Amino acid sequence: MGAELKQNRLVLVSNGEPYKHVYQNQEIKQEKLAGGLTTGLDPMMQEDDGLWIAWGRGEADFEVVDQENKVKVPDDNGYTLKRIKLSEEEKNGFYYGFSNEVMWPICHTFISKANFKKEYWDSYKKVNKKFADNIMEELEEDDLVWIHDYHLALVPGFLSGSDAKTSLFWHIPWPAWEAFRTIPWRQEILEGMLSTNFLGFHTDSFVYNFLNCAKKIGAEVDFSAREVYYQGSKTRVENIPLGIDYQRMHGLSQDEEYLEKSKTIKENYNTEKLVFAVDRLDYTKGIEERLEAIRRFFEKYPEYQRKVIFVQRIAPSRTGIEEYQQMKDSIEKMVGEINGKYQEDEWQPIKYFYGSVPQDELLPYYNAADLGLITASIDGMNLVAKEYLAVQDSGVLLLSEFAGAAEYLDSAIKVNPYDVEALADSIYQGLEMPEKDRKERVQTAQAALKKYDINWWRDHFIEMWLDCYE
């Protein structure tokens, strides 16, 4: 590994765990969970024998742990995973409540969707304290405690009385003060985060927003040095964009079995052009606006009827929340209306799929698609954009200018997802682009994706974090 930890042990702290245990055919099986965090950090943790602390939510998670709720993963030669058990009340208040009904909508600037219940805040504080207590139980001299994401913003503050060297990486957007200030407990959240030594975001704009918020609560902020002085402590704030496992992704584009699956997908759809979009069901993903643009595309460019198929896959999310069910119903109604108006014989303009699909089954679609559509209304980064380009040789990416990835992928066609007319025109532009231009764009993107991959992100973060103590 490139990251130089020297004598330091890395203690990773996240809401989601890297592995879960489930019952399968009356046996307990271990499953590795997908996600950028696991991809980037699991290999290093195995090599350096670190400690990962996370909420254990697999159905058999606590059947395999010892008396301290620890288990070795992925095997006895791996590293230690310490699982934190949450009650139903804690899960509902901390996770479904404050994390998903306050932090998520506010950070994505959907203020009207926030639900500022006092009991949510109380639960969030309680669970963050529980995480901090579990860290304190394990803390050894010279440990590096790397905390992740919006679920655990208060943890650094609860550790501030210790000698722990802490950092926090924020995986979603950080909003402007005008949005963040609506949270009644904004002061406490910022104070918790400013107790850490090093703080990372995906983009420059998120860094600026955070520094401005810190200034608003009375911190001394050096915008050029990106340093915040507050209550006797100093926090360095940097943008370090999360990358993908480029070598694995690009390797797929050379793999015969993978390419055969991709070819089969293209043949099964029997169309000149295939456009692909995959999203989790969420109001931040801009799915309804995208469908409106597809409707307008067929109105403006009727020559593409019967020549292009849009494949839209949606993964379930927060299925117990009524608003999400209403969103699903609205999307399905729009798909039905567009198909009802334009379909002919065996051609259907939109192929819609709702349900969870393993990443390995999705990946051949990335290669098969002539056009990738990522039109989120706002996104912290969006790794699908990077994965799509990594396996392509001539595909065109349409990317929302409000996704973090847009700051780094200059070869994509940038779109405003709220501008239906321009989005329809951009779809046409992407489909009409000459092959030479398409290939050049992909090659430019891949050079950057290779250089700034998941390993660069991990090593660069740790290097800059350690610099704080020089």
Side-chain angles (χ1 to χ4, degrees):
M1 292 296 152
E4 276 297 324
L5 294 176
K6 298 172 185 169
Q7 78 277 17
N8 304 101
R9 179 181 68 154
L10 186 61
V11 179
L12 269 178
V13 189
S14 63
N15 173 62
E17 57 183 344
Y19 296 88
K20 69 176 180 178
H21 287 84
V22 297
Y23 293 109
Q24 202 174 85
N25 300 325
Q26 298 181 324
E27 291 184 348
I28 294 178
K29 299 284 187 184
Q30 177 181 272
E31 289 182 7
K32 186 175 183 178
L33 294 168
L37 207 56
T38 305
T39 301
L41 300 177
D42 181 67
M44 182 175 69
M45 295 295 278
Q46 290 187 45
E47 190 170 299
D48 293 334
D49 191 25
L51 170 66
W52 196 319
I53 300 175
W55 169 24
R57 64 182 100 174
E59 59 185 358
D61 272 1
F62 291 95
E63 298 298 317
V64 298
V65 296
D66 62 16
Q67 288 184 320
E68 296 178 313
N69 286 333
K70 295 176 182 175
V71 62
K72 284 283 189 178
V73 293
D75 52 43
D76 290 340
N77 298 316
Y79 59 93
T80 302
L81 171 61
K82 182 176 186 179
R83 288 172 166 149
I84 293 177
K85 185 179 288 188
L86 299 185
S87 67
E88 281 298 310
E89 184 181 355
E90 288 171 332
K91 182 170 71 173
N92 289 331
F94 153 75
Y95 181 68
Y96 290 111
F98 201 82
S99 295
N100 284 315
E101 290 192 36
V102 178
M103 296 299 277
W104 181 266
I106 293 302
C107 286
H108 289 84
T109 323
F110 282 85
I111 300 170
S112 63
K113 295 185 183 296
N115 189 353
F116 300 118
K117 283 187 177 179
K118 175 71 161 53
E119 54 264 40
Y120 287 171
W121 170 244
D122 291 340
S123 183
Y124 186 79
K125 281 197 297 185
K126 179 182 174 185
V127 172
N128 271 249
K129 179 70 162 56
K130 180 181 280 195
F131 269 86
D133 289 345
N134 274 271
I135 296 166
M136 292 294 289
E137 287 172 11
E138 305 297 329
L139 214 52
E140 298 173 4
E141 191 176 359
D142 294 322
D143 276 353
L144 293 169
V145 182
W146 189 357
I147 302 156
H148 286 269
D149 225 359
Y150 62 102
H151 312 87
L152 304 175
L154 303 180
V155 171
F158 287 126
L159 296 176
S160 60
S162 72
D163 295 326
K165 294 181 172 71
T166 64
S167 69
L168 172 64
F169 188 81
W170 200 263
H171 290 261
I172 64 173
W174 186 270
W177 172 248
E178 287 71 23
F180 187 75
R181 71 189 299 187
T182 61
I183 300 177
W185 310 279
R186 63 200 187 193
Q187 184 93 10
E188 294 94 320
I189 293 168
L190 286 168
E191 287 179 354
M193 295 174 71
L194 289 172
S195 298
T196 194
N197 310 123
F198 185 62
L199 182 54
F201 294 95
H202 287 300
T203 72
D204 263 338
S205 56
F206 300 158
V207 168
Y208 174 80
N209 284 347
F210 180 83
L211 292 175
N212 193 47
C213 286
K215 186 178 180 182
K216 294 291 187 182
I217 66 161
E220 182 186 337
V221 178
D222 184 333
F223 281 88
S224 58
R226 297 185 167 197
E227 291 175 345
V228 183
Y229 300 86
Y230 188 71
Q231 295 183 345
S233 65
K234 182 177 84 171
T235 302
R236 184 176 175 189
V237 188
E238 292 289 349
N239 66 301
I240 306 174
L242 183 62
I244 60 170
D245 186 352
Y246 178 79
Q247 294 297 347
R248 174 178 173 261
M249 286 291 168
H250 188 64
L252 285 173
S253 65
Q254 321 296 317
D255 181 81
E256 286 186 22
E257 184 181 348
Y258 171 80
L259 291 172
E260 192 58 40
K261 287 180 182 176
S262 173
K263 183 182 174 185
T264 301
I265 287 170
K266 196 73 180 281
E267 288 173 351
N268 286 346
Y269 282 106
N270 188 28
T271 183
E272 287 184 27
K273 299 287 186 179
L274 190 67
V275 182
F276 185 62
V278 57
D279 305 273
R280 186 171 54 80
L281 183 66
D282 196 88
Y283 50 77
T284 64
K285 300 303 180 184
I287 302 169
E288 288 159 292
E289 290 84 0
R290 180 188 311 151
L291 289 170
E292 200 56 59
I294 291 171
R295 188 203 309 266
R296 185 70 184 120
F297 167 78
F298 283 117
E299 288 173 357
K300 289 187 77 171
Y301 305 104
E303 66 270 26
Y304 267 103
Q305 292 174 31
R306 299 174 301 282
K307 290 184 179 179
V308 61
I309 290 176
F310 292 82
V311 177
Q312 173 68 67
R313 286 192 172 273
I314 295 179
S317 175
R318 300 169 188 148
T319 49
I321 299 174
E322 185 180 351
E323 181 186 3
Y324 281 74
Q325 183 59 49
Q326 290 171 351
M327 194 189 322
K328 177 177 176 285
D329 293 344
S330 172
I331 288 166
E332 291 174 355
K333 182 184 177 190
M334 290 180 75
V335 170
E337 288 173 350
I338 296 167
N339 282 341
K341 182 174 181 180
Y342 290 107
Q343 66 185 13
E344 295 178 23
D345 301 325
E346 296 181 2
W347 175 75
Q348 197 175 45
I350 302 176
K351 297 287 188 180
Y352 166 82
F353 303 91
Y354 177 79
S356 298
V357 181
Q359 190 191 39
D360 287 348
E361 289 182 29
L362 278 178
L363 289 173
Y365 281 88
Y366 297 173
N367 182 267
D370 300 284
L371 200 65
L373 271 185
I374 295 174
T375 58
S377 50
I378 185 170
D379 223 329
M381 175 50 66
N382 196 298
L383 296 181
V384 172
K386 296 185 174 187
E387 291 169 353
Y388 172 78
L389 290 170
V391 300
Q392 272 294 336
D393 64 351
S394 62
V396 178
L397 175 65
L398 259 64
L399 179 61
S400 167
E401 62 188 70
F402 306 124
E407 287 197 19
Y408 304 102
L409 295 176
D410 292 335
S411 58
I413 297 176
K414 310 290 173 57
V415 296
N416 178 349
Y418 297 102
D419 189 341
V420 170
E421 199 75 18
L423 183 49
D425 292 338
S426 295
I427 293 170
Y428 179 78
Q429 178 192 347
L431 293 173
E432 288 286 311
M433 187 179 294
E435 185 176 10
K436 178 175 177 289
D437 294 350
R438 297 201 309 267
K439 285 182 177 293
E440 284 178 359
R441 283 172 177 255
V442 168
Q443 288 166 4
T444 300
Q446 288 179 350
L449 294 173
K450 182 178 181 180
K451 183 177 181 180
Y452 301 107
D453 67 353
I454 185 77
N455 300 315
W456 171 87
W457 170 78
R458 176 196 63 221
D459 295 346
H460 192 55
F461 185 98
I462 291 173
E463 181 185 341
M464 296 187 83
W465 176 14
L466 292 175
D467 280 349
C468 294
Y469 309 111
E470 293 296 322

